Amino acid sequence: MTSQPLLLRHHRPFVAFWFARIFTASAFQMLTVAIGWNLYQLTGNVMDLGWVGLIEFAPRLLFMLHTGHVADRYDRRRVAALCQSLQAMIALILAISSASDHITREMIFILAFVLGAARSFEMPATQALLPSIVPVELFPRAVAAAQAAQQSATIVAPAFGGLLYAFGSVWVYGPSVALYLIAALLMSTLPARQLPLNKGKATLDSLLAGIRFIRSRPDVLGAISLDLFAVLLGGATALLPVFAKDILLTGPWGLGMLRSAPAVGALLMSLWLARFPVERKVGRVMFTAVGLFGVATIAFGLSTSFWFSMAVLVVLGAADMISMVIRASFVQLETPDEMRGRVSAVNGLFIGASNQLGEFESGATAHWLGTVPAVVLGGVGTLVVTGLWIKLFPGLANRDRMVEEHKTL
């Protein structure tokens, strides 16, 4: 079988794509650490951390139908590069504002919305690019390898961002600008699409095609909706600044370590899946992974030890990676190239809801019930959803192979 290193050596476009993912993920993770700590220092209000997640998610909901159409109609390389350049401008504005001591809560909220909009258009274009630059038989491995790149950056960048923040937030925002620009340059070097682009106008029927397609595939619908509700309830990343400062009694460096911990587990699991992809009993494996995610969330909420919290976050990240790789393979391999952008946009909405909207849910619940009860209750909710989805989607739960019916794209 082709291993991950062989994939990287013999597919030059994928190598450029792989490094672009590293730089984009690094820049975003550094921004996340800086914005979260910066905002909590400014206001001391845990609810503001939840609002940032909601504000960043809002563009995905507002522009969902159009982001997919753009990815299917225009050059996906240029769409992705343009979005990364816009994110570089956002980081530059934050750097200048921080250096001049003019950064405010309202400014952070506005820039979070623009950042969310840029990422909303970038995600479907980037996701739809991958199947066109690697052979079908290598696609599940490519998904895992691409995630390994992203998780590698997610491990290093938050900790590095936390260390740099000790010298001032501008030291985090500044390097993010360069990383985004490098990613945009690499993305622009990818080969143009060989298949014709969708040149049709953005009618309501074409915009809704992605939603109809997902509804027609019960396994895909079950997989992405499971991620939506399970991670939405179990997501606790928005509360990491509170855990770091008030419960685990650490500082920006500790916050960076906590944000990196899930990525350590995700990286190790993605490397394993790139070498040994899930080939049998994929439904059972995915549901088990989501259940483990819920258990790890509960353990993290109850922990008062920094190192135990780090350990359960590693487990949480590994479990989430299994679910993500299976879900991503479902979506991309069952979708024709001419509508991958629209389907990826809908999938991106589910991913965004489970992450950014989950951050708002965690912040709001923590505001009402307290930080620890909010996280524990979310983990319990994840377990309940897992059991319910097994009943609602028995075909997915009993699915044996991931791509057994997909010989062509």
Side-chain angles (χ1 to χ4, degrees):
M1 286 188 177
T2 303
S3 65
Q4 179 186 348
L6 192 60
L7 174 67
L8 295 178
R9 279 201 306 270
H10 292 283
H11 296 277
R12 293 183 181 179
F14 180 75
V15 173
F17 181 90
W18 193 76
F19 277 106
R21 290 290 294 269
I22 288 180
F23 293 127
T24 301
S26 297
F28 179 70
Q29 290 298 326
M30 290 173 66
L31 279 183
T32 300
V33 170
I35 289 173
W37 196 268
N38 210 169
L39 183 61
Y40 196 55
Q41 279 187 324
L42 284 172
T43 69
N45 188 350
V46 65
M47 190 64 187
D48 284 339
L49 299 176
W51 279 115
V52 167
L54 181 62
I55 290 169
E56 187 179 332
F57 168 73
R60 291 197 180 180
L61 182 61
L62 293 174
F63 307 132
M64 177 192 70
L65 298 176
H66 295 285
T67 59
H69 185 80
V70 166
D72 284 337
R73 184 171 185 179
Y74 300 101
D75 190 329
R76 291 168 181 164
R77 304 168 305 159
R78 294 180 180 178
V79 172
L82 180 61
C83 292
Q84 289 157 356
S85 299
L86 177 57
Q87 291 171 79
M89 290 183 61
I90 294 169
L92 180 60
I93 293 172
L94 286 168
I96 294 173
S97 300
S98 180
S100 60
D101 200 26
H102 286 116
I103 195 165
T104 65
R105 172 179 179 268
E106 291 71 23
M107 176 184 294
I108 290 176
F109 285 164
I110 292 172
L111 292 177
F113 181 86
V114 180
L115 179 65
R119 285 171 57 80
S120 296
F121 281 89
E122 177 192 12
M123 179 174 289
T126 302
Q127 288 182 342
L129 268 171
L130 184 55
S132 65
I133 61 176
V134 295
V136 175
E137 63 273 12
L138 294 181
F139 183 72
R141 296 173 183 271
V143 171
Q147 285 301 315
Q150 183 167 332
Q151 297 304 327
S152 298
T154 307
I155 292 170
V156 177
F160 186 55
L163 287 172
L164 289 177
Y165 198 97
F167 300 97
S169 57
V170 67
W171 288 91
V172 185
Y173 296 133
S176 299
V177 177
L179 290 172
Y180 274 126
L181 292 177
I182 294 172
L185 179 61
L186 287 171
M187 196 64 68
S188 66
T189 66
L190 295 178
R193 292 179 67 190
Q194 300 301 314
L195 296 177
L197 292 168
N198 173 24
K199 294 297 185 180
K201 294 184 178 179
T203 64
L204 181 61
D205 183 70
S206 67
L207 293 175
L208 293 175
I211 296 176
R212 290 197 304 271
F213 185 88
I214 289 175
R215 288 184 59 188
S216 70
R217 300 293 193 277
D219 285 357
V220 174
L221 176 61
I224 64 176
S225 59
L226 173 65
D227 178 79
L228 167 64
F229 291 105
V231 180
L232 185 152
L233 294 172
T237 55
L239 301 178
L240 287 181
V242 183
F243 274 92
K245 185 174 185 293
D246 299 334
I247 297 176
L248 302 177
L249 306 178
T250 184
W253 180 82
L255 172 62
M257 291 290 289
L258 289 171
R259 292 198 70 93
S260 297
V264 172
L267 173 62
L268 294 175
M269 183 55 65
S270 63
L271 291 173
W272 175 268
L273 293 175
R275 179 73 177 179
F276 305 104
V278 178
E279 296 179 343
R280 302 299 299 270
K281 299 180 180 179
V282 295
R284 184 181 302 177
V285 170
M286 187 180 69
F287 278 105
T288 301
V290 177
L292 183 58
F293 179 92
V295 172
T297 300
I298 295 172
F300 174 76
L302 295 175
S303 174
T304 56
S305 165
F306 177 79
W307 293 110
F308 181 76
S309 296
M310 289 278 291
V312 294
L313 287 175
V314 169
V315 174
L316 182 149
D320 189 47
M321 177 55 60
I322 296 172
S323 173
M324 192 289 304
V325 170
I326 293 174
R327 185 180 66 254
S329 296
F330 277 162
V331 173
Q332 296 296 338
L333 291 174
E334 293 199 3
T335 307
D337 184 70
E338 64 270 13
M339 61 183 300
R340 279 201 180 107
R342 283 164 288 177
V343 172
S344 294
V346 178
N347 188 37
L349 176 64
F350 279 82
I351 294 172
S354 64
N355 293 317
Q356 277 75 44
L357 193 56
E359 290 181 2
F360 176 74
E361 179 273 335
S362 296
T365 308
H367 180 73
W368 295 326
L369 302 179
T371 302
V372 172
V375 174
V376 173
L377 184 62
V380 172
T382 297
L383 296 177
V384 171
V385 167
T386 302
L388 182 60
W389 253 238
I390 292 175
K391 299 293 185 182
L392 292 176
F393 299 94
L396 176 62
N398 296 320
R399 184 169 180 132
D400 185 43
R401 294 183 180 273
M402 186 182 300
V403 294
E404 57 187 353
E405 298 177 357
H406 310 297
K407 296 180 180 180
T408 60
L409 287 179

